[in-house]
Amino acid sequence: MKLVRTFKPAAAGLLLALAFASATASAVNLTVTHWADGMYGAPFAVALEKGYFKEAGVDVTGFITSQGGGTTVRNAMASEIPYGEVALPAAIAAVKQGVDLTIVHGGVLSLADIYWVAKAGSPLASINDLKGKKLGYSSPKSVTDMVSTIALSKAGILNDVQRKAAGSSAAALTALREGGLDVIYATEPMYSREKASLKMVIRSTDLVPSATQTVGVVRTDYLKKNPGIIKAIIAARRKGVEFIQKNPAEAGEIMAKHYKMPADVAKAAINEILAAKGTYWSTGKLDYEGMNTMLAGLTLVKAVEPGPFDWNKIVDESQLPADQRK
């Protein structure tokens, strides 16, 4: 007599769980732009500290980073899990260069971490005061290049302000202190660390209310084969964002631990961002208006060629929870 084995539903479910666990058993690092330097990584720090990644079935032990741009995208695409939260401009540039990646979730949806500052005691108090002054942005075709171009154009003084590429925030701060620049960009958490010697002149959110800075991307072939892993990462990151919103003080302690910075600085940076207009950290939802704003700005500074851009060809919302989809 032939023996036929059957699996009960519970046993089948256990086998599926074991299969998923084995696929993600090895410890992995995820790619996050400007990790331990910018605010983009705060939800990931919380998710790691609180065990949200392991709860979701992904054993994340650390993060790979860079100073942004195409390097971060390349790091992400070459990783064991070819996923990363990267700058939207870098993702757009990579797609235009033929990289087969897919945008799977929203990251940072506003410019609430970017300010324009002068030295403490400066008479400068608004954008109109910048006429005839020297302003420092990070680098050509960057987000700070875009924001300053849009803002000064709206004020009608673009040609009356001497804009200079100042490099890193540390280099820009040195130029400001030495008198080489009158106003510079400042990002969190650097601003919260140095604000005793600085004067806020402009908040970027007052000039450009909605602009998507970062998105979650994954190599398309990997997404097709491992959708569950990407879904798990999105879920863990969401819990990290929600924890920051409900527990900003504890989140600041966690961020300080992982970023190796004073807790008061991390807490101040989080509070500044949560107090700003609009949504900074997305719980996954994509802001297409903000993505189009960023695209238009990048076209303005000639970072991308003008013309239509079909988000539908590179966006896949299927791994987002139902309440986070368009």
Side-chain angles (χ1 to χ4, degrees), residues 34 37-40 111-117 138 143-144 168-170 172 184-195 198 204 213 265 269 273 280:
H34 291 282
D37 178 49
M39 299 304 291
Y40 317 118
L111 303 170
D113 60 329
I114 303 176
Y115 316 119
W116 300 88
V117 301
S138 59
V143 171
T144 53
S168 69
S169 56
I184 62 167
Y185 77 97
T187 58
E188 291 288 10
M190 183 274 274
Y191 171 74
S192 287
R193 186 184 69 238
E194 304 289 344
K195 67 180 177 181
L198 301 173
S204 292
Q213 287 199 63
V265 171
I273 282 172
Y280 182 76

Side-chain angles (χ1 to χ4, degrees), residues 33-101:
T33 188
H34 291 282
W35 167 257
D37 178 49
M39 299 304 291
Y40 317 118
F44 291 90
V46 171
L48 179 60
E49 182 72 17
K50 289 293 181 180
Y52 298 151
F53 288 115
K54 284 190 177 180
E55 286 177 11
V58 185
D59 187 12
V60 175
T61 55
F63 301 95
I64 303 166
T65 192
S66 74
Q67 291 302 304
T71 302
T72 305
V73 175
R74 288 190 291 273
N75 286 347
M77 297 300 101
S79 299
E80 182 177 349
I81 296 181
Y83 157 90
E85 183 161 322
V86 306
L88 178 59
I92 292 171
V95 169
K96 286 182 174 289
Q97 292 164 10
V99 177
D100 192 11
L101 61 78

Side-chain angles (χ1 to χ4, degrees), residues 206-289:
D206 292 337
L207 307 172
V208 185
S210 173
T212 293
Q213 287 199 63
T214 66
V215 290
V217 302
V218 61
R219 206 173 64 221
T220 305
D221 64 327
Y222 184 90
L223 176 63
K224 290 176 180 177
K225 295 176 182 176
N226 304 278
I229 294 176
I230 301 306
K231 187 174 184 178
I233 292 170
I234 292 171
R237 181 191 173 280
R238 178 181 185 173
K239 291 183 74 173
V241 172
E242 292 171 341
F243 184 91
I244 294 171
Q245 294 167 342
K246 294 174 183 176
N247 307 280
E250 187 178 348
E253 296 279 355
I254 293 170
M255 178 178 152
K257 173 184 173 182
H258 288 272
Y259 276 36
K260 295 179 174 55
M261 66 170 52
D264 61 332
V265 171
K267 290 177 183 180
I270 286 175
N271 288 335
E272 285 279 358
I273 282 172
L274 293 179
K277 297 176 183 177
T279 299
Y280 182 76
W281 290 291
S282 169
T283 47
K285 188 178 296 184
L286 289 153
D287 176 9
Y288 290 92
E289 180 182 351

